[in-house]
Each structure stands twice: as C-alpha cells, then as structure tokens.
Amino acid sequence: MSKRDTPPPSELVSAAQALDSELLRFEALAAQLQEAPLTSEKHLERASRTLKDLADLDDALRLRVGSLVQAITGVRNRQQTQADAVNARAQELQRRTEVFKDLLTRYGALGQSAADLNGRMQQFAALRQQATRTAEEDAQLTAVFTSLQERMAEVAEEAATLATASEAEQFSDIARQADSLRQQLLSARNKLGLLHQSLSNPT
C-alpha cells in the first residue's frame, strides 16, 4: 500500500498523538525553565516568558486530555454498539441453528416414513403378482391398498407442511427436498391407484 493509499489516523490516534506532542513540548519547556539561570534581568525576563508559555501549554494539555477522553468514550460506545450487534447475531445464529435442526429432524422422519412405505409397496406388489388368490387374499390386498393410499397421502401432506415451514424460514434446500419427496409420494400413489384399477378390472 502506498502512502497515498494509507488511511488517515483514527480520531483516537489523532487525539493521542496531539496530546503526546503537547506533552513533549511541555516537558521540554519545563526542563528549560529548571535549568535556566536567574542571574540577570534578561534571564528573569526569559524565564517569565517560558513560565507563561508553560501556563498556556498547560491549558492546551487540558484541552488535549479532554479530546482524548472524548475519543476514548467514542471508541467505547462504538465497541459497545458492535458488541450488542454481535450478541444479537449470536442469539439469531442459535435460533436459526435450532430451527434448522428441527427441520432436518422432521425431514429425517419423513425419509423413514417413505422407506417404510416403500417396503409396504413391495409387499403389495408381491401379493398382487400371485397368479391365484383366495377371496380372503383379495380382501387383504384391498386393505393393504387402502392403508397405503391413506398413509402416502398423510406423508405427502407432512412433506408439504415441512416444505412450507422450511421456505418460511428461508431454508430453501430442505424446502426443495421436502417438496421433491412430496411429488415422489404423490406419483407413487397415483401409480398404486392404477395398479389397483388393473387388479379390479382385469382384461
């Protein structure tokens, strides 16, 4: 970074540098006064002028100290403002993390429900593929079909609810995954309905 690109010093640094500069001048004049001879009229006049300069510098130092205190107060207020913002953000992070974990848990439960449904669909397919079935087995097949249809509708509705909740919390990834699962369930439910129709109306 070139000198031209160097940012100007902060208010705190400027105030500290100004105070330090005035303090160095005060110390130099004080040392000069202490060492000055007082053996002639000229010496006395020079010492008096130095003493006046020291009094003026003392006033200036008080002003510089006040500026530094004001700058420190400003820095403290800025730091407190940032600390409050960080604390608020930390609380929001905690809340968002808890919301995300809850949504993820709900999505995991949906996935388990979908896996269970898949197993039950395989059982339905196995029963349907039997070449001959008794009236009792046909009744069992119809009961399995009805139960599957109802459960698939329930899980699809749960997926829709989760997608809406995730979208409202702006967790779009979970929302998309839940909606995709909902569509898969509805598609599978429609296919299951077609299978049942072909079972009820053999050609």
Side-chain angles (χ1 to χ4, degrees):
M1 180 181 292
S2 66
K3 291 184 178 180
R4 184 166 38 184
D5 296 330
T6 303
S10 67
E11 181 183 357
L12 178 62
V13 171
S14 296
Q17 288 175 340
L19 175 59
D20 187 58
S21 177
E22 296 285 10
L23 186 58
L24 288 175
R25 289 179 60 200
F26 186 88
E27 290 172 344
L29 282 176
Q32 181 181 324
L33 181 65
Q34 291 293 329
E35 297 168 0
L38 303 174
T39 56
S40 68
E41 181 181 2
K42 184 177 182 181
H43 290 160
L44 295 176
E45 289 175 353
R46 184 179 300 166
S48 294
R49 286 196 302 271
T50 302
L51 191 60
K52 182 180 181 305
D53 290 342
L54 281 167
D56 292 341
L57 269 178
D58 189 55
D59 291 338
L61 279 171
R62 280 196 292 271
L63 291 174
R64 296 298 186 187
V65 169
S67 297
L68 181 58
V69 170
Q70 184 177 358
I72 291 172
T73 300
V75 169
R76 185 174 64 244
N77 291 340
R78 282 166 49 200
Q79 186 272 335
Q80 186 60 51
T81 298
Q82 291 298 322
D84 291 343
V86 168
N87 183 57
R89 191 62 171 172
Q91 293 179 1
E92 176 66 7
L93 172 61
Q94 181 179 2
R95 189 194 74 81
R96 295 285 291 167
T97 300
E98 290 172 355
V99 168
F100 177 75
K101 286 181 178 178
D102 176 65
L103 293 173
L104 204 59
T105 298
R106 289 168 62 184
Y107 182 74
L110 277 178
Q112 183 59 53
S113 295
D116 293 342
L117 282 170
N118 185 58
R120 290 169 63 181
M121 286 182 67
Q122 290 176 2
Q123 292 177 355
F124 175 81
L127 284 172
R128 179 183 173 276
Q129 288 173 0
Q130 291 181 6
T132 58
R133 287 185 300 273
T134 64
E136 182 179 348
E137 288 173 334
D138 278 340
Q140 180 186 2
L141 194 61
T142 299
V144 170
F145 166 78
T146 302
S147 174
L148 267 174
Q149 287 274 293
E150 292 175 353
R151 183 56 183 152
M152 292 173 85
E154 289 174 0
V155 177
E157 182 59 31
E158 290 171 7
T161 300
L162 177 58
T164 300
S166 301
E167 198 64 49
E169 290 290 350
Q170 298 182 334
F171 284 114
S172 56
D173 287 350
I174 297 180
R176 283 195 298 269
Q177 292 168 8
D179 187 62
S180 176
L181 180 59
R182 180 189 68 85
Q183 293 179 33
Q184 292 173 25
L185 286 166
L186 292 178
S187 176
R189 188 170 183 267
N190 289 336
K191 291 177 181 177
L192 186 66
L194 293 174
L195 284 175
H196 186 64
Q197 286 179 8
S198 66
L199 175 66
S200 302
N201 304 294
T203 54

